[in-house]
Amino acid sequence: MHRITPHQPHPLFNTAATRRLEKAAAAALPPHTLMQRAGLAVAQLAQALAPHARTVWIACGPGNNGGDGLEAAMHLQRSGRKVIVTWLGQPDTAPADARASWQRARDAGVAWADAAPNDLDANDLCIDALLGIGVASSPHSPPRTPDARLLTCLQALHHSPAPVLAVDLPSGLDADTGQFAAGLTPDTPPHLHHRAPTPRHTLSLLTLKPGLFTATGRDAAGHVWLDDLGVEPGHEPPNAWLSGPALPAPRAHASHKGSYGDVAVVGGEGLAARGMGMAGAALLAASAALHSGAGRVLVTLLDDGHLQLDPQQPELMLRRFDALALEQLTMVCGCGGGQAIAHVLPEVISRAARLVLDADALNTIATQAALHALVVARGQHGQPTVITPHPLEAARLLGLTTAEVQADRLDAAQQLADQFNCVAVLKGSGTVIAAPDRVPAINPTGNARLATAGTGDVLAGMVGAHLAAGASAWRAASEAVYQHGQAADVWPAGLALTASALARRVGG
Ligand SMILES: NC(=O)C1=CN([C@@H]2O[C@H](COP(=O)(O)OP(=O)(O)OC[C@H]3O[C@@H](n4cnc5c(N)ncnc54)[C@H](O)[C@@H]3O)[C@@H](O)[C@H]2O)[C@@H](O)CC1
Ligand SMILES: Nc1ncnc2c1ncn2[C@@H]1O[C@H](COP(=O)(O)OP(=O)(O)O)[C@@H](O)[C@H]1O
Ligand SMILES: [K+]
């Protein structure tokens, strides 16, 4: 068993793959072995997380997730804890493994209760063994109406003053998408909004699931642990990867600025055009490219020559669009581009050596099939392209709603990559990176301090710098996304995270 950190990549397996692995492993082992291993692992982690717990409340659902909880209850009871179990199953209808563990918990003498004890405190522990991968909503099955006792237990776990250890998954979370099943989304009453959150842990069993790391999964899961139950994935291919850190890129002593490439940022509609000045977005992307190590950074503002120098960043070279040698440049196109970006997009997409498309470039492409076709053609000609939509931009590109994109972020990112024939970065909590014919990746770094205007422009500039230095589109995107999130994760307490400060720190 080990805690999952962002320091190395991890394979992720969805519900179907996990079930295949479980079936093969169970066939090769004596009956009940996997559940016994799972329950023991849960009990060991519970003792390590809450060594001084007086009471451990274990909420057990009707299926095998509940069986894992019952098995853990037996171990914790034997170790001398006061264990209280709420079991929503029935001996005559429970799956065989769960029924066996129920019998073992009974024999060990655990206490049974209909609901959570009301005297739990921060030293105690709750174990959430209500629902695991059995909740994964199939698009073909009608939504279920959860029973009242299940909902009461879920509420008690959600509002518990004691830390919560979830078995396999936070109950109700879909292992494949990181979204809660219909009717099972936790609610937070207003009076709890300002309470310090109780620690949350999830012990994923057999495999790590993608839903723990994207959409609402990060918040729901808290600290993620893995116990593989002694089962190797064998020939089962992962459905996604949790990315690891960038490979070191030492600079040769005999290198020069030309070794690291030229980035040109095009965007920043002027105030005069429509009364909405957006030069800042382009300057942020340019600053991020500069601080990420680009050899030279050029900026083309679409403001009719209004700004001729950024005195705060004299390294940036302002250029008119017609003075850019597009075929030699890594272009970062769209940041703050407004409607003005439409005038330059056809040329940028057709001619740029390497290209990052962000923000208004994406909004414009979403409305013009001819531009979409030009992006697809870049892939056919071997010209690297990365698109960096947030969920609303992704929805426009795919002709979906934002909710539909968020409902399955891995699938949405894959659709973007396939339809636009390029590397797609779907931003947000658990940013997804996808490319045609490749297993997608979920980025493990970053936090909600990034939810401030301009941080997306910073990311676009960073991807540009990595591309300009010679990285492939995939590597440029994954490394930049990782470093962008990591900068936020190590951000000094008490210092505001603004996009311009982020851009200055991304080089490490
Ligand atoms: N698959 C594996 O690799 C292993 C599974 N084990 C455990 O077994 C779990 C999977 O067990 P199951 O397949 O029995 O599934 P679960 O126990 O996760 O859930 C199935 C039960 O929940 C009910 N349920 C499902 N969706 C519901 C909803 N929306 N509202 C109300 N009730 C709902 C079902 O009626 C069923 O009784 C795993 O998550 C894990 O904890 C471990 O014991 C060992 C290894
Ligand atoms: N809650 C969050 N957790 C992790 N990353 C986040 C979160 N909120 C925002 N981000 C990141 O911050 C950046 C915001 O980008 P974007 O929405 O394009 O903003 P802007 O257009 O203002 O620059 C993205 O990289 C996104 O992944
Ligand atoms: K659970």
Side-chain angles (χ1 to χ4, degrees), residues 65 128-132 166-172:
N65 193 249
D128 165 9
L130 289 168
L131 299 167
V167 178
D168 208 18
L169 288 162
S171 291

Side-chain angles (χ1 to χ4, degrees), residues 48-65:
L49 294 175
H52 306 299
R54 283 176 310 121
T55 305
V56 181
W57 176 53
I58 311 185
C60 298
N64 287 319
N65 193 249

Side-chain angles (χ1 to χ4, degrees), residues 15 17-23 25 32-39 42 61-69 89 93 95 97-98 129-137 142-147 150-151 154 167-169 171-172 181-184 203 205-207 209 229:
T15 301
T18 301
R19 288 221 187 266
R20 279 192 295 274
L21 275 168
E22 188 229 355
K23 202 170 156 198
H32 311 315
T33 304
L34 284 179
M35 187 169 286
Q36 288 175 7
R37 289 180 185 174
V42 171
N64 287 319
N65 193 249
D68 293 346
T93 53
D97 284 347
L130 289 168
L131 299 167
I133 57 172
V135 88
S137 41
R144 307 180 44 154
T145 315
D147 76 57
L150 176 70
L151 289 179
L154 282 172
V167 178
D168 208 18
L169 288 162
S171 291
L184 299 179
L203 174 56
L205 297 169
L206 196 71
T207 60
K209 288 88 183 166
L229 307 181

Side-chain angles (χ1 to χ4, degrees), residues 390 427-429 431 446-448 450-457 459 484:
H390 59 50
K427 295 182 291 191
S429 179
T431 290
N447 61 69
L450 288 169
T452 179
T455 54
D457 305 314
L459 177 66
H484 181 257

